[in-house]
Amino acid sequence: MAAIDGTSEPGSPVRSAYPPLVEAAWLYQADQVCLEDLPMTAAQALAIGMDTPALCELAGLPPHADPRDIRDIFEQALQELGIRLPDYHLARRYALRTLAVRFAAGEVDLAELASDEWSETEVETAEEQAFLALLPSCACCIEYTLGLDEAAWEAQLQIAACALVSHPTVGPRF
């Protein structure tokens, strides 16, 4: 799952174009957020000037707090700030693009891309389809499912990821 602190991973050079709390809302809706990261994201939002009672409460939670409490308080904080959760379909497309960004930047290795979690993602662009088509359900099935060796798969995936990254079509609007 992607980190939501304004970078793709801790210490990463790739930065999100969106405030951490907005990025978190989109990735949260796509089931791509580690709930234990949300208190730190709330603290960062407070540091940049956002302030609501629920945001303060969320920032004060320990990372090992009850996940239900984190979810409830996070959603309350978003509501207090007027940040609406996106449609699930849009959020999944955004998360797929975020994965492509991280892969193109070298932050995600090939084994991390192999997952059946993306198989039900509805895409709308040729770039999304090309990237999604190269994501097998498991790393051991690359040659069997795609007919590619690992080097050929990585090369094609880099091309598809770069194409998707260069054609952003979904994400938060300001």
Side-chain angles (χ1 to χ4, degrees), residues 134-153:
L134 290 167
L135 299 180
S137 59
C138 68
C140 63
C141 297
I142 296 165
E143 186 175 345
Y144 174 72
T145 59
L146 300 176
L148 301 171
D149 64 27
E150 191 169 303
W153 176 50

Side-chain angles (χ1 to χ4, degrees), residues 59-165:
L61 289 178
H64 60 277
D66 185 322
R68 292 172 298 202
D69 290 341
I70 294 173
R71 283 183 183 278
D72 291 345
I73 298 168
F74 177 68
E75 289 179 11
Q76 179 64 37
L78 293 177
Q79 184 177 27
E80 290 174 0
L81 289 164
I83 298 172
R84 293 180 33 196
L85 288 171
D87 171 78
Y88 178 76
H89 169 73
L90 289 176
R92 290 296 291 178
R93 289 178 58 216
Y94 178 75
L96 183 68
R97 183 182 181 283
T98 300
L99 181 63
V101 167
R102 293 179 58 225
F103 178 72
E107 296 177 358
V108 177
D109 66 27
L110 293 173
E112 291 177 79
L113 293 175
S115 169
D116 64 356
E117 78 173 279
W118 298 105
S119 64
E120 299 298 317
T121 302
E122 296 177 26
V123 295
E124 294 184 9
T125 69
E127 294 82 12
E128 291 170 345
Q129 179 58 43
F131 185 71
L132 184 64
L134 290 167
L135 299 180
S137 59
C138 68
C140 63
C141 297
I142 296 165
E143 186 175 345
Y144 174 72
T145 59
L146 300 176
L148 301 171
D149 64 27
E150 191 169 303
W153 176 50
E154 184 173 12
Q156 288 186 14
L157 201 51
Q158 274 293 344
I159 292 167
C162 290
L164 179 53
V165 169

